Amino acid sequence: MMQPEFQELVATTSWNKVETGLIPIMELVSETGTKMDVQELFQRFAFDCSCILVLGHDPISLCMELPHLPHEKAFADIEEALQYRHILPQVIWKQQRWLQVGEERKLKEGMENIDRFLSQCISMKQQNDTVAMDPAGREDFDVLSSYMRAVEGNGDDASNIPQEFWRDNMLNLISARKDTISATLTWFFWLLATHPAEEEKIRQEITTNFQMNQVGKWKFTNMMELRKLIYLHGALCESLRFFPPVGIQHKAPVEHDILPSGHHIKPNRITLLSFYSMGRMESIWGEDCL
């Protein structure tokens, strides 16, 4: 179960990024009438929040300047290269890897950028002592600090654990958080833009349950208060049903297996699960599935 301290960190981190990063850019775009790639903004938002929560480090990719950060862009290059591995015959992408051309070269360069970024963050955390503190003098509850404290609590020295272990675990957590959140937010706001009546219902629910601390500025209270926003929660769930962050997933058993439906699956045979299609199936969701 998630620690209350980490829940608080998630809430404050997200809200601070909205206030200091997302809203100022949105206001500027609104005032000037310029076009903005909203998906990129949400990607930067999710990347910054993920790094703070996992590493205890803010890369500040979401700001007015929208700086080019090689380690932030590297995630997209790696994901695209891995996507090609699922499409191209194995002999082709392995040849590209051997020759270091095409997507395989992007993959190698992207991993080098991310390795440098993560190694630097991990080294800084180790040098600053395992029991890291936030500006208020409290223990940091980012994932890396918590992991290191747990290791020390078991009587081990965190500095003796290979950095590859920390790096691979932190990379996995950042990757899992970053793109799922940004994709969900992008589709959610696209759906609101195309369904103004639903947007108005969400606005009304927020107005009813929350007060403003300034004109036009909502006052964030705490995680428990968010449970009052039932309609907003339902709208987010519907966004995930229509546009799941992982649209298709595949599984392959190591040994022969039988599905609950009775279908036999041979070892290493890939079975595709289309969550995108399943979210629109009348047999699952009823006649009003769309």
Coordinates of all heavy atoms in Angstrom, one line a residue, residues 176-255:
A176 N 7.3 3.7 -17.0 CA 5.9 3.2 -16.8 C 5.0 4.4 -16.5 O 3.8 4.4 -16.8 CB 5.9 2.2 -15.6
R177 N 5.5 5.4 -15.8 CA 4.7 6.6 -15.4 C 4.6 7.6 -16.5 O 3.5 8.2 -16.7 CB 5.4 7.2 -14.2 CG 4.6 7.3 -12.9 CD 5.2 8.1 -11.8 NE 4.2 8.8 -11.1 CZ 3.8 10.0 -11.4 NH1 4.4 10.6 -12.4 NH2 2.9 10.6 -10.7
K178 N 5.7 7.9 -17.1 CA 5.8 9.1 -18.0 C 4.7 9.1 -19.1 O 3.9 10.0 -19.3 CB 7.2 9.2 -18.5 CG 7.4 10.2 -19.6 CD 8.8 10.2 -20.1 CE 9.0 11.0 -21.4 NZ 8.4 10.4 -22.5
D179 N 4.8 8.0 -19.9 CA 3.9 8.0 -21.2 C 2.5 7.7 -20.9 O 1.6 8.1 -21.6 CB 4.6 7.1 -22.2 CG 5.9 7.6 -22.7 OD1 5.9 8.8 -23.1 OD2 6.8 6.8 -22.8
T180 N 2.2 6.8 -19.9 CA 0.8 6.5 -19.6 C 0.1 7.7 -19.2 O -1.1 8.0 -19.6 CB 0.8 5.4 -18.5 OG1 1.6 5.8 -17.4 CG2 1.3 4.1 -19.0
I181 N 0.7 8.6 -18.3 CA 0.0 9.8 -17.8 C -0.1 10.8 -18.9 O -1.2 11.4 -19.1 CB 0.8 10.4 -16.6 CG1 0.8 9.4 -15.4 CG2 0.3 11.8 -16.3 CD1 1.6 9.9 -14.3
S182 N 0.9 11.0 -19.7 CA 0.8 12.1 -20.7 C -0.2 11.7 -21.8 O -0.9 12.5 -22.3 CB 2.2 12.3 -21.4 OG 2.7 11.1 -22.0
A183 N -0.2 10.4 -22.2 CA -1.2 10.0 -23.2 C -2.6 10.1 -22.7 O -3.5 10.5 -23.4 CB -0.9 8.5 -23.6
T184 N -2.8 9.7 -21.4 CA -4.2 9.8 -20.8 C -4.6 11.3 -20.8 O -5.8 11.6 -21.1 CB -4.2 9.2 -19.4 OG1 -3.8 7.8 -19.5 CG2 -5.6 9.3 -18.8
L185 N -3.8 12.2 -20.3 CA -4.1 13.6 -20.2 C -4.5 14.2 -21.6 O -5.4 14.9 -21.8 CB -3.0 14.4 -19.6 CG -2.8 14.2 -18.1 CD1 -1.6 14.9 -17.6 CD2 -4.1 14.7 -17.3
T186 N -3.7 13.8 -22.6 CA -3.9 14.3 -24.0 C -5.2 13.9 -24.5 O -6.0 14.7 -25.0 CB -2.8 13.8 -24.9 OG1 -1.5 14.2 -24.4 CG2 -2.9 14.4 -26.3
W187 N -5.6 12.6 -24.4 CA -6.9 12.2 -24.9 C -8.0 12.7 -24.1 O -9.1 13.0 -24.6 CB -6.9 10.6 -24.9 CG -6.2 10.0 -26.1 CD1 -5.1 9.2 -26.1 CD2 -6.5 10.2 -27.5 NE1 -4.7 8.9 -27.3 CE2 -5.6 9.4 -28.2 CE3 -7.6 10.9 -28.1 CZ2 -5.7 9.4 -29.6 CZ3 -7.6 10.8 -29.5 CH2 -6.7 10.0 -30.2
F188 N -7.8 12.8 -22.8 CA -8.8 13.4 -21.9 C -9.2 14.8 -22.3 O -10.4 15.1 -22.4 CB -8.4 13.3 -20.4 CG -9.3 14.0 -19.5 CD1 -10.5 13.4 -19.2 CD2 -9.0 15.2 -18.8 CE1 -11.4 14.0 -18.3 CE2 -9.9 15.8 -17.9 CZ -11.1 15.2 -17.7
F189 N -8.3 15.6 -22.5 CA -8.6 17.0 -22.9 C -9.1 17.1 -24.3 O -9.9 18.0 -24.6 CB -7.4 17.9 -22.6 CG -7.2 18.3 -21.2 CD1 -6.3 17.6 -20.4 CD2 -8.0 19.3 -20.6 CE1 -6.2 18.0 -19.0 CE2 -7.9 19.7 -19.3 CZ -7.0 19.0 -18.5
W190 N -8.7 16.2 -25.2 CA -9.3 16.2 -26.5 C -10.7 15.8 -26.4 O -11.6 16.4 -27.1 CB -8.5 15.2 -27.4 CG -9.1 15.1 -28.8 CD1 -8.8 15.9 -29.8 CD2 -10.0 14.1 -29.3 NE1 -9.5 15.5 -31.0 CE2 -10.3 14.4 -30.6 CE3 -10.7 13.0 -28.7 CZ2 -11.1 13.7 -31.4 CZ3 -11.6 12.3 -29.5 CH2 -11.8 12.6 -30.8
L191 N -11.1 14.8 -25.6 CA -12.5 14.4 -25.4 C -13.3 15.6 -24.8 O -14.4 15.8 -25.3 CB -12.6 13.2 -24.6 CG -12.2 11.9 -25.2 CD1 -12.0 10.8 -24.2 CD2 -13.2 11.5 -26.3
L192 N -12.7 16.3 -23.9 CA -13.5 17.4 -23.3 C -13.7 18.5 -24.4 O -14.8 19.1 -24.4 CB -12.7 18.0 -22.2 CG -12.6 17.3 -20.8 CD1 -11.9 18.1 -19.8 CD2 -14.0 16.9 -20.4
A193 N -12.7 18.7 -25.2 CA -12.8 19.8 -26.3 C -13.9 19.4 -27.3 O -14.6 20.3 -27.9 CB -11.5 19.9 -27.0
T194 N -14.2 18.1 -27.4 CA -15.2 17.7 -28.4 C -16.5 17.4 -27.7 O -17.5 17.0 -28.4 CB -14.7 16.4 -29.2 OG1 -14.3 15.4 -28.2 CG2 -13.5 16.8 -30.0
H195 N -16.6 17.5 -26.4 CA -17.8 17.2 -25.6 C -18.0 18.4 -24.6 O -17.8 18.1 -23.4 CB -17.8 15.9 -24.9 CG -17.8 14.7 -25.9 ND1 -16.6 14.3 -26.5 CD2 -18.7 13.8 -26.3 CE1 -16.9 13.3 -27.3 NE2 -18.2 13.0 -27.2
P196 N -18.4 19.5 -25.1 CA -18.5 20.7 -24.2 C -19.5 20.5 -23.0 O -19.3 21.1 -21.9 CB -18.9 21.8 -25.1 CG -19.4 21.2 -26.3 CD -18.7 19.9 -26.5
A197 N -20.5 19.7 -23.2 CA -21.5 19.5 -22.2 C -20.9 18.8 -21.0 O -21.2 19.1 -19.8 CB -22.7 18.7 -22.7
E198 N -20.0 17.8 -21.3 CA -19.3 17.1 -20.2 C -18.3 18.0 -19.5 O -18.2 17.9 -18.3 CB -18.6 15.8 -20.8 CG -19.5 15.0 -21.7 CD -20.8 14.6 -21.1 OE1 -20.8 14.3 -19.9 OE2 -21.8 14.7 -21.8
E199 N -17.7 18.8 -20.3 CA -16.7 19.8 -19.7 C -17.4 20.7 -18.7 O -16.9 20.9 -17.6 CB -16.1 20.6 -20.7 CG -15.1 21.6 -20.2 CD -14.5 22.6 -21.2 OE1 -14.8 22.4 -22.4 OE2 -13.8 23.5 -20.9
E200 N -18.6 21.1 -19.0 CA -19.4 22.0 -18.1 C -19.8 21.3 -16.8 O -19.8 21.9 -15.8 CB -20.6 22.5 -18.9 CG -21.5 23.5 -18.0 CD -20.7 24.7 -17.6 OE1 -19.7 25.2 -18.3 OE2 -20.9 25.2 -16.4
K201 N -20.1 20.0 -17.0 CA -20.5 19.2 -15.8 C -19.3 19.1 -14.8 O -19.5 19.2 -13.6 CB -21.0 17.8 -16.2 CG -22.4 17.8 -16.9 CD -22.8 16.4 -17.3 CE -24.1 16.5 -18.0 NZ -24.5 15.1 -18.5
I202 N -18.1 18.9 -15.4 CA -16.9 18.8 -14.6 C -16.6 20.1 -13.9 O -16.3 20.2 -12.7 CB -15.7 18.3 -15.4 CG1 -16.0 16.8 -15.9 CG2 -14.4 18.4 -14.6 CD1 -15.0 16.3 -16.9
R203 N -16.7 21.2 -14.6 CA -16.5 22.5 -14.1 C -17.5 22.8 -12.9 O -17.1 23.3 -11.9 CB -16.7 23.6 -15.2 CG -15.6 23.7 -16.1 CD -15.9 24.8 -17.2 NE -14.8 25.0 -18.1 CZ -13.8 25.9 -17.8 NH1 -13.7 26.6 -16.7 NH2 -12.8 26.0 -18.7
Q204 N -18.7 22.4 -13.1 CA -19.7 22.6 -12.1 C -19.4 21.8 -10.8 O -19.6 22.2 -9.7 CB -21.1 22.3 -12.6 CG -22.3 22.6 -11.7 CD -22.3 24.0 -11.3 OE1 -22.2 24.9 -12.2 NE2 -22.5 24.4 -10.0
E205 N -19.0 20.6 -11.0 CA -18.6 19.7 -9.9 C -17.4 20.3 -9.1 O -17.4 20.3 -7.9 CB -18.2 18.3 -10.4 CG -17.9 17.3 -9.3 CD -17.6 15.9 -9.8 OE1 -16.6 15.8 -10.5 OE2 -18.3 15.0 -9.4
I206 N -16.4 20.8 -9.8 CA -15.3 21.5 -9.1 C -15.8 22.7 -8.4 O -15.4 23.0 -7.2 CB -14.2 21.8 -10.2 CG1 -13.6 20.6 -10.8 CG2 -13.1 22.7 -9.5 CD1 -12.6 20.8 -11.9
T207 N -16.6 23.5 -9.0 CA -17.1 24.8 -8.4 C -17.9 24.4 -7.1 O -17.8 25.1 -6.1 CB -18.0 25.5 -9.3 OG1 -17.3 25.8 -10.5 CG2 -18.5 26.8 -8.7
T208 N -18.6 23.4 -7.1 CA -19.5 23.0 -6.0 C -18.6 22.5 -4.8 O -18.9 22.8 -3.6 CB -20.4 21.9 -6.4 OG1 -21.3 22.3 -7.5 CG2 -21.3 21.5 -5.2
N209 N -17.5 21.8 -5.1 CA -16.7 21.1 -4.1 C -15.5 21.9 -3.6 O -14.9 21.6 -2.6 CB -16.4 19.7 -4.5 CG -17.5 18.8 -4.6 OD1 -18.0 18.3 -3.6 ND2 -18.0 18.5 -5.8
F210 N -15.0 22.8 -4.4 CA -13.8 23.5 -4.0 C -14.0 25.0 -4.1 O -14.9 25.5 -4.8 CB -12.7 23.2 -5.0 CG -12.2 21.7 -4.9 CD1 -12.8 20.7 -5.6 CD2 -11.3 21.4 -3.9 CE1 -12.3 19.4 -5.5 CE2 -10.8 20.1 -3.8 CZ -11.4 19.1 -4.6
Q211 N -13.2 25.7 -3.3 CA -13.2 27.2 -3.2 C -12.1 27.7 -4.0 O -11.1 27.0 -4.3 CB -13.2 27.7 -1.8 CG -14.4 27.2 -0.9 CD -14.2 27.7 0.5 OE1 -13.1 28.1 0.9 NE2 -15.3 27.7 1.2
M212 N -12.1 29.0 -4.3 CA -11.0 29.7 -5.0 C -10.2 30.5 -4.0 O -10.8 31.2 -3.1 CB -11.6 30.6 -6.1 CG -12.2 29.9 -7.2 SD -12.7 31.1 -8.5 CE -13.3 30.0 -9.8
N213 N -8.9 30.4 -4.1 CA -8.1 31.3 -3.2 C -7.8 32.6 -3.9 O -7.3 33.6 -3.2 CB -6.8 30.6 -2.8 CG -6.0 30.1 -4.1 OD1 -6.4 30.3 -5.2 ND2 -4.9 29.5 -3.9
Q214 N -8.0 32.7 -5.2 CA -7.9 34.0 -5.9 C -8.9 33.9 -7.0 O -9.6 32.9 -7.2 CB -6.5 34.1 -6.6 CG -5.3 34.2 -5.6 CD -4.0 34.3 -6.3 OE1 -3.9 34.9 -7.4 NE2 -3.0 33.6 -5.8
V215 N -9.2 35.1 -7.6 CA -10.1 35.1 -8.7 C -9.7 34.2 -9.8 O -8.6 34.3 -10.4 CB -10.3 36.5 -9.3 CG1 -11.3 36.5 -10.4 CG2 -10.8 37.5 -8.2
G216 N -10.5 33.2 -10.1 CA -10.2 32.3 -11.2 C -9.2 31.2 -10.8 O -8.8 30.4 -11.7
K217 N -8.7 31.1 -9.6 CA -7.7 30.2 -9.2 C -8.3 29.2 -8.2 O -8.7 29.5 -7.1 CB -6.5 30.9 -8.5 CG -5.9 32.0 -9.3 CD -5.0 31.4 -10.5 CE -4.3 32.5 -11.2 NZ -3.5 31.9 -12.3
W218 N -8.3 27.9 -8.6 CA -8.8 26.9 -7.7 C -7.8 26.6 -6.5 O -6.6 26.7 -6.7 CB -9.0 25.6 -8.4 CG -10.0 25.7 -9.6 CD1 -9.7 25.5 -10.9 CD2 -11.3 26.1 -9.5 NE1 -10.8 25.8 -11.7 CE2 -11.8 26.1 -10.9 CE3 -12.2 26.4 -8.5 CZ2 -13.1 26.5 -11.2 CZ3 -13.5 26.8 -8.8 CH2 -14.0 26.8 -10.1
K219 N -8.4 26.3 -5.4 CA -7.5 26.0 -4.2 C -7.5 24.5 -4.0 O -8.5 23.9 -3.8 CB -8.1 26.7 -2.9 CG -7.3 26.4 -1.7 CD -8.0 27.1 -0.5 CE -7.2 26.9 0.8 NZ -7.9 27.5 2.0
F220 N -6.3 24.0 -4.1 CA -6.0 22.6 -3.9 C -5.9 22.3 -2.4 O -5.2 23.0 -1.7 CB -4.8 22.1 -4.6 CG -4.5 20.7 -4.4 CD1 -5.1 19.7 -5.1 CD2 -3.5 20.3 -3.5 CE1 -4.9 18.4 -4.9 CE2 -3.2 18.9 -3.3 CZ -3.9 18.0 -4.0
T221 N -6.6 21.3 -2.0 CA -6.6 20.9 -0.5 C -5.7 19.7 -0.3 O -4.6 19.8 0.1 CB -8.0 20.7 0.0 OG1 -8.7 19.8 -0.9 CG2 -8.8 22.0 0.0
N222 N -6.3 18.5 -0.5 CA -5.5 17.3 -0.3 C -6.1 16.2 -1.1 O -7.1 16.3 -1.8 CB -5.5 16.9 1.2 CG -6.9 16.8 1.8 OD1 -7.7 16.0 1.3 ND2 -7.2 17.6 2.8
M223 N -5.4 15.0 -1.1 CA -5.8 13.9 -1.9 C -7.2 13.4 -1.5 O -8.0 13.0 -2.4 CB -4.8 12.7 -1.7 CG -3.4 13.0 -2.2 SD -3.3 12.9 -4.0 CE -3.2 11.1 -4.2
M224 N -7.5 13.4 -0.2 CA -8.8 12.9 0.2 C -10.0 13.8 -0.4 O -11.0 13.3 -0.7 CB -8.9 12.9 1.7 CG -7.9 12.0 2.4 SD -8.3 10.2 2.0 CE -9.8 10.0 2.8
E225 N -9.7 15.1 -0.5 CA -10.8 16.0 -1.0 C -11.1 15.7 -2.5 O -12.2 15.9 -2.9 CB -10.3 17.4 -0.9 CG -10.2 18.0 0.5 CD -11.6 18.1 1.1 OE1 -12.5 18.7 0.5 OE2 -11.9 17.6 2.2
L226 N -10.1 15.1 -3.2 CA -10.4 14.8 -4.6 C -11.4 13.7 -4.8 O -12.0 13.6 -5.9 CB -9.1 14.4 -5.3 CG -8.0 15.5 -5.4 CD1 -6.7 14.9 -6.0 CD2 -8.5 16.7 -6.2
R227 N -11.7 13.0 -3.8 CA -12.7 11.9 -3.9 C -14.1 12.5 -4.1 O -15.0 11.7 -4.5 CB -12.7 11.0 -2.6 CG -11.3 10.3 -2.5 CD -11.4 9.3 -1.3 NE -10.1 8.6 -1.2 CZ -9.9 7.6 -0.3 NH1 -10.8 7.3 0.6 NH2 -8.7 7.0 -0.2
K228 N -14.3 13.7 -3.8 CA -15.6 14.4 -4.1 C -15.9 14.5 -5.6 O -17.0 14.7 -6.0 CB -15.6 15.8 -3.4 CG -15.5 15.7 -1.9 CD -15.4 17.2 -1.4 CE -15.2 17.2 0.1 NZ -15.2 18.6 0.7
L229 N -14.8 14.5 -6.4 CA -15.0 14.7 -7.8 C -15.3 13.4 -8.5 O -14.5 12.9 -9.3 CB -13.7 15.4 -8.4 CG -13.3 16.6 -7.7 CD1 -12.0 17.2 -8.3 CD2 -14.4 17.7 -7.7
I230 N -16.5 13.0 -8.3 CA -17.0 11.7 -8.8 C -17.1 11.7 -10.3 O -16.7 10.8 -11.1 CB -18.3 11.2 -8.1 CG1 -18.1 11.1 -6.6 CG2 -18.8 9.9 -8.7 CD1 -19.3 10.9 -5.9
Y231 N -17.7 12.8 -10.8 CA -18.0 12.8 -12.3 C -16.6 12.9 -13.0 O -16.5 12.3 -14.1 CB -18.8 14.1 -12.6 CG -19.5 14.0 -14.0 CD1 -20.7 13.3 -14.2 CD2 -18.8 14.5 -15.1 CE1 -21.2 13.2 -15.5 CE2 -19.4 14.4 -16.4 CZ -20.6 13.8 -16.5 OH -21.1 13.7 -17.8
L232 N -15.7 13.7 -12.5 CA -14.4 13.8 -13.1 C -13.7 12.5 -13.1 O -13.1 12.1 -14.1 CB -13.5 14.8 -12.3 CG -12.0 14.9 -12.7 CD1 -11.9 15.3 -14.2 CD2 -11.3 15.9 -11.8
H233 N -13.8 11.7 -12.0 CA -13.2 10.4 -12.0 C -13.8 9.5 -13.1 O -13.1 8.7 -13.8 CB -13.4 9.8 -10.6 CG -12.9 8.4 -10.5 ND1 -13.7 7.3 -10.3 CD2 -11.6 7.9 -10.4 CE1 -12.9 6.2 -10.2 NE2 -11.6 6.6 -10.3
G234 N -15.1 9.6 -13.2 CA -15.8 8.8 -14.3 C -15.3 9.1 -15.7 O -15.1 8.3 -16.5
A235 N -15.2 10.4 -15.9 CA -14.7 10.9 -17.2 C -13.3 10.4 -17.5 O -13.0 10.0 -18.6 CB -14.8 12.4 -17.2
L236 N -12.4 10.4 -16.5 CA -11.1 9.9 -16.7 C -11.1 8.4 -17.0 O -10.4 7.9 -17.9 CB -10.2 10.2 -15.5 CG -9.7 11.6 -15.3 CD1 -9.2 11.8 -13.9 CD2 -8.7 11.9 -16.3
C237 N -12.0 7.7 -16.3 CA -12.1 6.2 -16.6 C -12.6 6.0 -18.0 O -12.1 5.0 -18.7 CB -13.0 5.6 -15.6 SG -12.3 5.5 -13.9
E238 N -13.5 6.8 -18.5 CA -14.0 6.6 -19.8 C -12.9 6.9 -20.8 O -12.8 6.3 -21.9 CB -15.2 7.5 -20.0 CG -16.5 7.0 -19.4 CD -17.0 5.7 -20.1 OE1 -16.5 4.7 -19.8 OE2 -17.9 5.8 -21.0
S239 N -12.1 7.9 -20.5 CA -11.0 8.3 -21.4 C -10.0 7.1 -21.5 O -9.6 6.7 -22.6 CB -10.2 9.5 -20.9 OG -11.0 10.6 -20.9
L240 N -9.8 6.4 -20.4 CA -8.9 5.2 -20.4 C -9.6 4.1 -21.2 O -8.9 3.3 -21.8 CB -8.6 4.8 -19.0 CG -7.7 5.7 -18.2 CD1 -7.7 5.4 -16.7 CD2 -6.3 5.7 -18.7
R241 N -10.9 4.0 -21.1 CA -11.6 2.9 -21.9 C -11.5 3.1 -23.4 O -11.2 2.2 -24.1 CB -13.1 2.9 -21.4 CG -13.9 1.8 -22.2 CD -15.2 1.6 -21.6 NE -16.1 2.7 -21.8 CZ -17.0 2.8 -22.9 NH1 -17.0 1.9 -23.8 NH2 -17.8 3.8 -23.0
F242 N -11.7 4.4 -23.8 CA -11.7 4.7 -25.2 C -10.3 4.7 -25.8 O -10.0 4.3 -26.9 CB -12.4 6.0 -25.5 CG -13.9 5.9 -25.6 CD1 -14.6 6.6 -24.7 CD2 -14.5 5.0 -26.4 CE1 -16.0 6.6 -24.7 CE2 -15.9 4.9 -26.5 CZ -16.7 5.7 -25.6
F243 N -9.3 5.3 -25.0 CA -8.0 5.5 -25.5 C -7.0 5.0 -24.4 O -6.3 5.8 -23.8 CB -7.7 6.9 -25.8 CG -8.6 7.5 -26.9 CD1 -9.7 8.3 -26.6 CD2 -8.4 7.2 -28.2 CE1 -10.6 8.8 -27.5 CE2 -9.3 7.6 -29.2 CZ -10.4 8.5 -28.9
P244 N -6.9 3.7 -24.2 CA -5.9 3.2 -23.2 C -4.5 3.5 -23.6 O -4.1 3.4 -24.8 CB -6.2 1.7 -23.3 CG -6.8 1.4 -24.6 CD -7.6 2.6 -25.0
P245 N -3.7 3.9 -22.6 CA -2.3 4.3 -22.9 C -1.5 3.1 -23.6 O -0.6 3.4 -24.5 CB -1.7 4.6 -21.6 CG -2.8 4.9 -20.7 CD -4.0 4.1 -21.2
V246 N -1.8 1.9 -23.2 CA -1.3 0.7 -23.9 C -2.4 0.1 -24.7 O -3.2 -0.7 -24.2 CB -0.7 -0.3 -22.9 CG1 -0.1 -1.5 -23.6 CG2 0.4 0.4 -22.0
G247 N -2.5 0.5 -26.0 CA -3.6 0.1 -26.8 C -3.6 -1.4 -27.2 O -4.6 -2.1 -27.2
I248 N -2.4 -2.0 -27.4 CA -2.2 -3.4 -27.7 C -1.1 -3.9 -26.9 O 0.0 -3.3 -26.8 CB -1.9 -3.6 -29.2 CG1 -3.1 -3.1 -30.0 CG2 -1.6 -5.1 -29.5 CD1 -2.9 -3.3 -31.5
Q249 N -1.3 -5.1 -26.3 CA -0.2 -5.7 -25.5 C -0.1 -7.2 -26.0 O -1.1 -7.7 -26.4 CB -0.5 -5.7 -24.0 CG 0.7 -6.1 -23.1 CD 0.4 -5.9 -21.7 OE1 -0.5 -6.6 -21.2 NE2 1.1 -5.1 -21.0
H250 N 1.1 -7.7 -25.9 CA 1.2 -9.1 -26.3 C 1.8 -9.9 -25.2 O 2.7 -9.4 -24.4 CB 2.0 -9.3 -27.6 CG 3.4 -8.9 -27.6 ND1 4.3 -9.7 -26.9 CD2 4.1 -7.9 -28.1 CE1 5.5 -9.1 -27.0 NE2 5.4 -8.0 -27.7
K251 N 1.4 -11.2 -25.1 CA 1.9 -12.1 -24.2 C 2.4 -13.4 -24.9 O 1.8 -13.8 -25.9 CB 0.9 -12.5 -23.1 CG 0.4 -11.3 -22.3 CD 1.4 -10.8 -21.3 CE 0.9 -9.7 -20.4 NZ 1.9 -9.2 -19.5
A252 N 3.4 -14.1 -24.4 CA 3.8 -15.3 -25.0 C 4.2 -16.2 -23.8 O 5.2 -15.9 -23.0 CB 5.0 -15.1 -25.9
P253 N 3.6 -17.4 -23.7 CA 3.9 -18.3 -22.5 C 5.2 -19.0 -22.8 O 5.6 -19.3 -23.9 CB 2.8 -19.3 -22.5 CG 2.3 -19.3 -24.0 CD 2.5 -17.9 -24.5
V254 N 5.9 -19.3 -21.7 CA 7.2 -20.1 -21.8 C 6.8 -21.6 -22.0 O 7.5 -22.2 -22.8 CB 8.0 -20.0 -20.5 CG1 9.2 -20.9 -20.5 CG2 8.4 -18.5 -20.2
E255 N 5.7 -22.0 -21.5 CA 5.3 -23.4 -21.6 C 3.9 -23.4 -22.2 O 3.2 -22.4 -22.3 CB 5.3 -24.2 -20.3 CG 6.7 -24.2 -19.6 CD 6.7 -24.8 -18.3 OE1 5.5 -25.2 -17.8 OE2 7.7 -25.0 -17.7

